[in-house]
Amino acid sequence: MRIPHVAVALVSVHHNALEGVPINPKKTTDLLCVLDNVFLVLSGIYMAFMVYTMSMFQWEVPVIAKIILLGLMLLVAGSRVLLVGLKNRKVWIGAAICIVYGGVFLVSDNSNFLFLAACTIGYLEMDYRKIIRTYLISVGTALFIVVIAALVGWVENIAVEKNGHTRYSVGTIYPTDFASLVLFLLLYLWVALKKIPDCMLLVLPI
């Protein structure tokens, strides 16, 4: 099985790093690629879940499912940090940002800040194009399902009257939720097509 081999390789890399033994660059790169894909899948699930929370679906997601997802994301993110290297300045900058997220979580009791912290660390030194593809696929698919559910009547399509105009939520809780989801999908699609440098992602919150 692939996962046990990955786990053994990670323990080996960690042990070698602590002992000061040179690490095979190829093995490190291969393992980092595997962890990248695993983290992208986990973060994609989180993104889709966020769309779900903005929709009219009434199914309650168990708290234990959120805890397991967060735990897996933190585990993979921490493993990536070991491979990226603690000497990397970006790791410490990311750690500082995570501390801020942690403080906000303690004040607001909003678990989304913990997921943001996991993403901040987990996306370090990752190809930004992979992150964009994950966002477009997960959010785009989730929003498509919500829209279809609203059009066929599976969930309520709320109509809001304002200034003589009617706006529809199209399966989301508020019309502005639907508008913001579409807006950011278009922004990320524009970034993907224009091949904008990853530093520009700072202005596009995930």
Side-chain angles (χ1 to χ4, degrees):
M1 294 179 63
R2 189 179 185 87
I3 295 301
H5 289 319
V6 171
V8 171
L10 180 60
V11 171
S12 176
V13 169
H14 187 197
H15 179 267
N16 288 341
L18 293 178
E19 295 295 329
V21 178
I23 301 173
N24 188 320
K26 185 179 184 305
K27 288 185 178 180
T28 301
T29 303
D30 292 344
L31 182 55
L32 189 58
C33 183
V34 172
L35 291 176
D36 284 356
N37 292 332
V38 173
F39 191 82
L40 286 170
V41 171
L42 293 174
S43 60
I45 294 174
Y46 168 69
M47 294 175 190
F49 170 72
M50 291 306 298
V51 176
Y52 171 80
T53 61
M54 299 170 68
S55 73
M56 291 300 294
F57 284 108
Q58 300 297 318
W59 306 321
E60 185 69 24
V61 177
V63 176
I64 187 63
K66 301 177 186 177
I67 295 176
I68 291 175
L69 178 60
L70 177 61
L72 289 174
M73 290 179 67
L74 291 174
L75 177 62
V76 178
S79 301
R80 291 194 73 259
V81 167
L82 291 177
L83 295 180
V84 170
L86 296 178
K87 293 183 180 180
N88 191 315
R89 184 178 64 176
K90 294 181 181 179
V91 170
W92 295 104
I93 295 176
I97 296 175
C98 288
I99 292 175
V100 174
Y101 283 142
V104 176
F105 164 71
L106 293 176
V107 174
S108 64
D109 196 28
N110 187 338
S111 62
N112 287 326
F113 289 101
L114 296 181
F115 283 98
L116 287 175
C119 288
T120 299
I121 294 296
Y123 286 147
L124 282 175
E125 300 292 0
M126 189 183 295
D127 187 346
Y128 80 97
R129 290 168 296 186
K130 293 182 179 180
I131 303 173
I132 291 177
R133 282 197 297 269
T134 300
Y135 181 91
L136 290 173
I137 293 173
S138 60
V139 174
T141 302
L143 183 59
F144 176 77
I145 294 174
V146 170
V147 171
I148 293 300
L151 294 178
V152 301
W154 292 342
V155 296
E156 186 176 358
N157 185 6
I158 299 175
V160 178
E161 297 283 347
K162 186 176 182 180
N163 298 328
H165 299 282
T166 302
R167 296 186 300 169
Y168 295 93
S169 66
V170 199
T172 58
I173 298 176
Y174 302 104
T176 50
D177 288 338
F178 177 75
S180 64
L181 287 170
V182 172
L183 172 63
F184 280 105
L185 274 175
L186 293 176
L187 285 174
Y188 271 92
L189 183 61
W190 176 66
V191 171
L193 295 177
K194 292 295 184 179
K195 297 181 180 179
I196 294 176
D198 55 350
C199 60
M200 292 301 294
L201 286 176
L202 294 174
V203 301
L204 297 177
I206 295 181

